[in-house]
Amino acid sequence: MNMRRTTIKDVAEAAGVGVATVSRVLSGGSASPETRERVLTVAAQLDYRPSALGRNLRQRRSGGIGLLVPDITDSFYGRLADGVLACARSAGEPVILGTTGDDAEREAEEIAVLLEQGVDRVVAVPAGNGEIWEPTLRSGLTTVFAHRLAAGRQDVPAVLADDRAGVRTAVDYLTGLGHRRIAYLGGPGQDSRVSVFRQTLGALVDEELIVFARGSRDSAYAAAAGLFQHRPDLTAVLAGGNQLGEAAVLAARELDLRVPKDLSLIMFDDVPWAELCSPPLTVIAEPAQDIGYRAAELVLRAGGRRPRGALLPTELIVRGSCGPRRTQ
């Protein structure tokens, strides 16, 4: 006899809705009356018993830290995870790791898994909006965000790099070299950086030069190549992460754009290959491992109180990928 326990994903599939919707309904969040009735009916039919969302949540918790990151193969998130693991190891706490792919629906599934497994605490790089985190916060789980905030959840403490200072420093450096047509190549969760980019450039902002990729290397390459082909007049680009920087380097090479003679490039995140490029890349270095370690420290020390977040410094490391604006 098959005794497999019904999961929240089973309920979502049977009800024809997303996991995030099931989580909202079961935690008392917002949903239409029809959707609420359908989800509750299906949950009853499947005998779904959400242990982590029930009244006895605190007694059912098994301990440990849940860690959610977009992509463990991205060196930035790998270093962030290493920081969380190092702190948890020193405290004797196990870590359950999940990846979201920067997809809100997948993030909701991973949150449900962590709740069902009964972890005590969560450190996460959020992918979706704040509503997805409502079941976790309602349950009383201590939660700390790392690297970015979830929209509308300023009540959740976070450990962040000082992106605002990093963007301003990069833009000031490029404008100081005479660049005026400066592009921003962004990815998921970078709305704050783009806002500062616009503010810093002021009247020089060209909205066509602000482009976004989804959270994959293929999407990053397509965005970079499309930008360079559509706007050959741009002279500098700020890439919002190492995958985006990698895409910019590859696209420039394919299109015979010389760095820095034709195109100056600054990348967020210092990774080992940045120094090995020809020329070596100028970067905004972010303390990824420290972000993870501090986030784990905060979540472990909370003790039922809301911990205070932290803002860690970034650093402009000047190498060889930026030069004076080319003459037209």
Side-chain angles (χ1 to χ4, degrees):
M1 183 171 61
N2 182 11
M3 298 296 292
R4 185 178 75 87
R5 184 166 171 266
T6 301
T7 68
I8 194 170
K9 191 172 183 180
D10 296 330
V11 176
E13 289 176 354
V17 298
V19 171
T21 300
V22 176
S23 292
R24 284 200 303 274
V25 169
L26 296 179
S27 64
S30 60
S32 70
E34 296 82 5
T35 299
R36 182 180 303 280
E37 182 178 355
R38 185 163 73 253
V39 169
L40 293 177
T41 299
V42 169
Q45 290 171 346
L46 296 180
D47 194 27
Y48 175 60
R49 299 178 182 181
S51 60
L53 295 176
R55 294 180 180 176
N56 297 323
L57 173 67
R58 294 187 179 276
Q59 291 150 353
R60 291 178 185 268
R61 286 183 183 164
S62 57
I65 300 173
L67 171 61
L68 296 182
V69 297
D71 179 5
I72 199 65
T73 66
D74 183 316
S75 64
F76 178 87
Y77 296 120
R79 299 197 314 275
L80 187 151
D82 189 58
V84 172
L85 290 168
C87 183
R89 191 181 306 117
S90 67
E93 289 280 347
V95 176
I96 297 174
L97 174 65
T99 59
T100 66
D102 261 324
D103 178 77
E105 192 69 23
R106 188 165 149 193
E107 180 178 61
E109 292 178 12
E110 293 293 340
I111 292 169
V113 168
L114 293 179
L115 288 170
E116 289 179 340
Q117 291 183 345
V119 298
D120 280 333
R121 306 167 179 89
V122 176
V123 172
V125 180
N129 59 37
E131 194 173 47
I132 288 176
W133 287 92
E134 194 62 31
T136 310
L137 301 172
R138 281 175 180 266
S139 75
L141 239 62
T142 304
T143 302
V144 171
F145 291 149
H147 181 53
R148 65 171 83 134
L149 296 168
R153 297 285 6 170
Q154 281 70 30
D155 55 326
V156 178
V159 178
L160 310 170
D162 192 353
D163 283 352
R164 298 180 67 84
V167 171
R168 283 194 295 264
T169 300
V171 172
D172 287 347
Y173 179 64
L174 290 170
T175 55
L177 289 171
H179 294 281
R180 296 297 179 265
R181 296 187 182 94
I182 303 172
Y184 186 90
L185 182 59
Q190 295 190 11
D191 292 346
S192 176
R193 288 182 185 174
V194 173
S195 176
V196 179
F197 179 78
R198 288 189 176 103
Q199 291 170 13
T200 307
L201 272 179
L204 295 176
V205 171
D206 183 338
E207 292 296 330
E208 281 194 351
L209 297 181
I210 299 175
V211 298
F212 286 92
R214 295 185 299 277
S216 71
R217 282 182 166 83
D218 287 346
S219 177
Y221 179 83
L227 172 67
F228 297 161
Q229 289 174 313
H230 181 61
R231 290 297 301 268
D233 58 325
L234 71 85
T235 63
V237 61
L238 174 57
N242 66 75
Q243 283 192 4
L244 296 160
E246 176 186 292
V249 170
L250 293 174
R253 185 179 301 163
E254 289 291 324
L255 296 170
D256 292 325
L257 293 173
R258 297 162 296 177
V259 176
K261 188 171 183 179
D262 299 322
L263 179 73
S264 289
L265 173 61
I266 298 180
M267 176 179 76
F268 260 89
D269 191 22
D270 192 19
V271 290
W273 61 259
E275 279 192 285
L276 302 177
C277 282
S278 180
L281 296 189
T282 294
V283 298
I284 300 293
E286 302 176 284
Q289 189 168 19
D290 288 347
I291 290 172
Y293 196 98
R294 291 286 295 276
E297 272 189 330
L298 281 185
V299 84
L300 286 169
R301 291 178 178 176
R305 303 185 308 274
R306 182 183 184 275
R308 295 181 62 182
L311 189 66
L312 306 184
T314 56
E315 178 187 5
L316 175 67
I317 300 177
V318 176
R319 295 185 180 126
S321 63
C322 294
R325 176 176 61 90
R326 69 173 185 265
T327 56
Q328 300 297 320

